[in-house]
Amino acid sequence: MGAQDFDRRLFDELIPLPDGTSYNAYLVKGNEKTALIDTVDPRKTGVLMAQLEAVQHLDFLIVQHVEQDHSGSVPAVLDRYPNVKILCSPKAKPMIVDHLHVPAERITTVENEETLCLGDRTLEFIHAPWVHWPETMLTYLNEDRILFTCDFLGSHLATAEIYATDKARVYEAAKRYYAEIMMPFRAMIKGHLETLARYKIQIIAPSHGPVYDDPAFILGAYRHWVLDPAQNLVLIPYVSMHGSTQVMVDHLTASLVDRGISVKLFNLTVTDLGKLAEELVDAATVIFATPTVLAGPHPSAVSAAYLINALRPKLRHAAVIGSYGWGGKAAEQIMGLVSSLKVEWFDPVMVRGLPDKEDLEVIDRLAAQITERIQAAK
């Protein structure tokens, strides 16, 4: 069940959605009881309620995650089924009360690995905190070996296809989704992947994007994103106001490529920050390139630094390059904005005005240092 949202282009007023998204809900019927797993975003409540018209009786409403794109239609479901019982994790109960104003007496909490018998079908609840909220849980349908994963392993992708048949497209959407939402919690996700290894899974049914009838596809992707070391890749998010920083960026890019290093550039005045986040999943090095504005970094560079700090990618090295007119602390401020990164910092290269031959030689030395570190890590 649920709804495709082909037209949505921004999530949480923050995350670009170039391919829209979906809000997946799932109805599980046993020969004695029936359960609905999650609901849909409030803007699509009517779609879900129309789907439920044929469901005369609902025993359980399982809320795996309280964020409104999953739980926002809970009040409408409660109105239609006044005797339905909400099931959720202990941490979710007060959040449901606060976010949805559902009476606490309508909510029952379930413990980790607790089971629910629907007759000929059995659901097992798996607590999975911090994918990506503290109250999230997954649900495993034992007899059919289906794992309902809520946000975990999902993708922001609206499609008429139920299953992930276009794997190249789904892979990119899932990687972007992981980068923007899950990457800050990869230490916790590592543990959840270990937990899921104990289960026999034939289908993975997330709350966003298509269903995986090949679980190894998405589980293998997550193991790569979470566990594998950073790759031979340098990212350069940059801004150039009058051309000086652009000269430095171009020279550094050429110098790195000549040394066999892969480089990807992101002009922050026009770039899709979701693509930058996606590339951060694999990158070993980030070089912030910014002119100086009123003694500090350009606001677009500040925004990118804030984002990278929040996402906490597995970067190993970082540096700041840029230009200034009369002085300032652009490099120091950028470094302060990404204090959560556990990286080796190269000396900043800040040039007064247009870089000359000696300045570009310093850029070449920076490229040599970056190459040495990346090659040493292989």
Side-chain angles (χ1 to χ4, degrees):
M1 293 189 165
Q4 301 295 320
D5 198 340
F6 288 94
D7 297 326
R8 190 166 183 178
R9 287 295 175 266
L10 195 63
F11 196 83
D12 289 342
E13 304 305 313
L14 175 66
I15 298 172
L17 298 178
D19 299 304
T21 191
S22 67
Y23 320 107
N24 303 339
Y26 300 94
L27 191 72
V28 182
K29 289 186 176 182
N31 60 6
E32 296 178 5
K33 303 286 185 180
T34 300
L36 177 66
I37 300 177
D38 289 330
T39 66
V40 299
D41 189 274
R43 69 186 73 191
K44 295 292 184 179
T45 296
V47 176
L48 178 64
M49 300 314 292
Q51 293 169 346
L52 288 171
E53 285 181 359
V55 181
Q56 296 182 354
H57 182 76
L58 188 64
D59 298 283
F60 303 102
L61 173 55
I62 298 167
V63 178
Q64 298 186 111
H65 177 34
V66 184
E67 195 170 10
Q68 286 85 343
D69 55 311
H70 307 285
S71 70
S73 298
V74 164
V77 175
L78 296 184
D79 287 343
R80 175 167 294 184
Y81 304 100
N83 296 317
V84 71
K85 180 185 292 186
I86 292 180
L87 303 180
C88 65
S89 71
K91 289 183 179 179
K93 181 173 181 176
M95 298 175 73
I96 293 173
V97 174
D98 291 341
H99 286 275
L100 302 173
H101 293 176
V102 172
E105 58 269 19
R106 298 204 65 174
I107 306 170
T108 299
T109 61
V110 294
E111 296 302 319
N112 186 41
E113 299 184 356
E114 184 175 336
T115 59
L116 174 68
C117 180
L118 303 178
D120 59 347
R121 283 186 166 91
T122 307
L123 297 175
E124 179 181 341
F125 305 109
I126 306 168
H127 289 188
W130 297 115
V131 287
H132 57 127
W133 280 22
E135 87 304 0
T136 305
M137 69 179 186
L138 320 180
T139 305
Y140 179 65
L141 177 53
N142 182 68
E143 290 77 11
D144 298 272
R145 297 181 178 178
I146 300 174
L147 181 68
F148 303 96
T149 58
C150 196
D151 274 338
F152 191 37
L153 309 176
S155 60
H156 279 314
L157 178 61
T159 173
E161 297 181 340
I162 293 177
Y163 295 101
T165 54
D166 187 345
K167 290 191 174 182
R169 186 183 184 206
V170 174
Y171 184 92
E172 182 174 2
K175 184 177 183 180
R176 181 182 178 118
Y177 183 92
Y178 165 81
E180 294 173 333
I181 299 171
M182 299 291 166
M183 188 159 57
F185 310 105
R186 70 178 187 276
M188 295 292 292
I189 289 173
K190 177 182 177 181
H192 297 317
L193 290 173
E194 292 171 354
T195 296
L196 295 185
R198 305 199 303 263
Y199 291 82
K200 296 180 179 179
I201 304 170
Q202 290 186 343
I203 291 177
I204 290 176
S207 290
H208 293 296
V211 172
Y212 302 98
D213 54 356
D214 177 13
F217 166 69
I218 189 63
L219 290 172
Y222 261 71
R223 291 189 186 101
H224 165 63
W225 300 333
V226 172
L227 302 175
D228 287 355
Q231 298 178 2
N232 169 14
L233 175 60
V234 175
L235 305 184
I236 308 179
Y238 73 95
V239 189
S240 186
M241 294 169 60
H242 300 294
S244 297
T245 303
Q246 184 74 60
V247 170
M248 299 175 71
V249 168
D250 291 344
H251 192 86
L252 177 60
T253 300
S255 191
L256 287 167
V257 170
D258 285 346
R259 290 171 167 82
I261 304 300
S262 298
V263 182
K264 292 191 177 181
L265 305 179
F266 294 89
N267 183 336
L268 295 172
T269 63
V270 296
T271 198
D272 176 351
L273 288 178
K275 291 297 294 182
L276 172 59
E278 185 181 336
E279 296 298 340
L280 283 165
V281 173
D282 298 316
T285 307
V286 62
I287 309 297
F288 298 95
T290 178
T292 301
V293 179
L294 299 176
H298 190 283
S300 295
V302 170
S303 178
Y306 183 87
L307 172 68
I308 293 171
N309 187 67
L311 295 179
R312 300 186 180 187
K314 50 190 176 187
L315 294 164
R316 294 196 300 265
H317 322 107
V320 182
I321 66 173
S323 60
Y324 62 95
W326 58 88
K329 299 289 184 179
E332 293 87 343
Q333 290 183 29
I334 288 289
M335 294 170 72
L337 286 168
V338 290
S339 58
S340 73
L341 299 184
K342 307 302 181 184
V343 295
E344 174 190 2
W345 283 97
F346 299 110
D347 290 338
V349 182
M350 299 300 296
V351 173
R352 185 193 296 270
L354 189 66
D356 58 20
K357 181 180 178 181
E358 291 183 355
D359 296 323
L360 296 181
E361 289 174 351
V362 176
I363 291 289
D364 285 331
R365 289 197 291 272
L366 173 62
Q369 287 182 297
I370 293 170
T371 303
E372 179 185 358
R373 296 297 194 280
I374 289 177
Q375 292 177 345
K378 290 182 179 180

